[in-house]
Amino acid sequence: MLNCYDATRLMSEKLDRPLGRLEKLNLRLHLFICKSCGHFDDHMQHLRLLTRSYAKGQGAAAVPPPDESESNVP
Amino acid sequence: MTDTPSAPEAASPAADRLSDPAFITALRRQMLKFATLQLSNPELAEDAVQEALIGAMKNAHSFAGQAAFKTWVFAILKNKIADTLRQRQRLVEASSLLHADEEDEDFTELFATHGHWQYDERPQAWGDPEGAVHNQHFWRVFEACLDHLPGQQARLFMMREFVEMETPEICRTLDITVSNLNVSLHRARLRLRECLEDRWFLSGEQAC
């Protein structure tokens, strides 16, 4: 039976390679009984999406430029 | 009618906004931050940003607005960064050896001896991860958490998640084993997850 540390390792590696059948089975069994690791699994997905948003310049969208260009056309 | 130099309708408002110095300044600052995080070398970062901006500006007229332009310019920047990382592989390899010790940490703060979560470190449900994308305070916290990663972990994490290089390519580029890479990525994700949870998702999701 996996402990939580090993489960988090598999949940991380899942983002980089397809897990083997036994790994998948062990992980599923662990997630079935461990709510905390279930949250961790969700967080890994969120972390990937957030990081890729950042890499598309979302963080830049967070700093809005002073938007005066629309009102005064020279 | 073909040679109207400044037809008011044809001059797209997008092009106007792209020449807005405030927009470009803010964008440039963000790009520089992004590139510096990954290259950890201000001069290389500056070069990559400059080239990406110049490249993107050539096609600026074809963008419908600032958001589309931003996505495009960051895509170019990511490619420049990937090129730079590949070129200076030996340099990175050498410097990563220097930092090997600092990253040989244990995670007993997070996990008890038998490998289960410490009681007060158990991951909790996150409130609104999708909403965070549109919150400028969130991105400040995000960058601060990235800054806290040890150097080599940060670099590997960004090659994988920002530049979206596949693991075999990262291993080839840096001449490291896949198990080393997996260990580093795991640690980086453990740290980042914890940092975001502590400093954002469980702290009211707003800057205090």
Side-chain angles (χ1 to χ4, degrees):
Chain A
M1 191 66 191
L2 292 181
N3 63 31
C4 296
Y5 180 81
D6 291 328
T8 62
R9 193 175 51 75
L10 285 182
M11 288 185 274
S12 171
E13 291 188 20
K14 198 166 69 152
L15 298 172
D16 307 314
R17 66 174 174 93
L19 296 183
R21 266 179 56 184
L22 194 60
E23 289 174 322
K24 272 188 201 163
L25 182 68
N26 281 331
L27 182 58
R28 200 175 307 155
L29 281 175
H30 182 89
L31 290 180
F32 188 69
I33 55 162
C34 181
K35 196 171 156 191
S36 301
C37 284
H39 291 314
F40 187 94
D41 202 25
D42 292 341
H43 298 166
M44 288 301 101
Q45 307 302 322
H46 295 317
L47 189 57
R48 166 152 287 176
L49 292 177
L50 287 167
T51 309
R52 294 195 169 170
S53 301
Y54 181 77
K56 289 190 177 69
Q58 273 290 350
V63 188
D67 202 13
E68 294 171 347
S69 56
E70 299 181 327
S71 50
N72 55 340
V73 180
Chain B
M1 291 299 281
T2 48
D3 58 341
T4 46
S6 60
E9 295 297 314
S12 78
D16 278 358
R17 270 184 248 122
L18 294 182
S19 58
D20 171 10
F23 169 69
I24 294 298
T25 306
L27 180 61
R28 204 173 173 289
R29 198 170 51 232
Q30 178 66 22
M31 290 169 74
L32 208 50
K33 173 84 184 162
F34 180 79
T36 310
L37 275 170
Q38 285 161 92
L39 297 172
S40 47
N41 176 324
E43 285 165 23
L44 288 177
E46 187 83 44
D47 290 349
V49 168
Q50 208 59 34
E51 285 179 37
L53 264 180
I54 291 169
M57 283 302 198
K58 284 181 196 155
N59 296 309
H61 60 275
S62 58
F63 291 95
Q66 290 180 345
F69 180 73
K70 204 174 288 170
T71 305
W72 170 242
V73 83
F74 269 88
I76 297 179
L77 181 60
K78 270 167 44 172
N79 286 335
K80 298 275 175 214
I81 289 169
D83 289 345
T84 310
L85 286 172
R86 286 184 197 110
Q87 277 163 21
R88 58 178 205 130
Q89 46 177 300
R90 295 297 144 195
L91 197 65
V92 173
E93 190 193 350
S95 72
S96 67
L97 290 174
L98 294 176
H99 293 288
D101 286 359
E102 115 197 13
E103 291 169 23
D104 194 16
E105 71 228 298
D106 64 342
F107 279 92
T108 48
E109 265 175 52
L110 292 180
F111 296 97
T113 42
H114 50 295
H116 291 279
W117 293 103
Q118 297 280 13
Y119 183 77
D120 54 358
E121 297 291 350
R122 292 174 305 166
Q124 308 291 311
W126 285 1
D128 182 18
E130 284 85 9
V133 171
H134 306 292
N135 189 316
Q136 67 180 95
H137 299 300
F138 169 75
W139 291 115
R140 251 177 251 148
V141 171
F142 184 84
E143 285 180 351
C145 288
L146 276 176
D147 280 338
H148 276 103
L149 290 179
Q152 175 73 343
Q153 271 174 39
R155 215 153 29 229
L156 293 173
F157 178 79
M158 291 189 230
M159 287 174 92
R160 178 73 189 104
E161 300 292 353
F162 285 12
V163 190
E164 298 184 34
M165 289 165 82
E166 295 296 329
T167 49
E169 189 185 5
I170 300 177
C171 290
R172 261 199 321 277
T173 304
L174 301 185
D175 198 16
I176 57 175
T177 65
V178 71
S179 67
N180 279 344
L181 176 60
N182 285 341
V183 168
S184 287
L185 288 175
H186 180 213
R187 288 176 176 173
R189 287 171 180 142
L190 279 171
R191 280 173 178 276
L192 263 182
R193 192 212 70 81
E194 192 205 3
C195 183
L196 291 177
E197 178 161 306
D198 289 350
R199 295 175 67 170
W200 184 259
F201 290 106
L202 295 190
S203 63
E205 304 191 7
Q206 56 193 330
C208 47

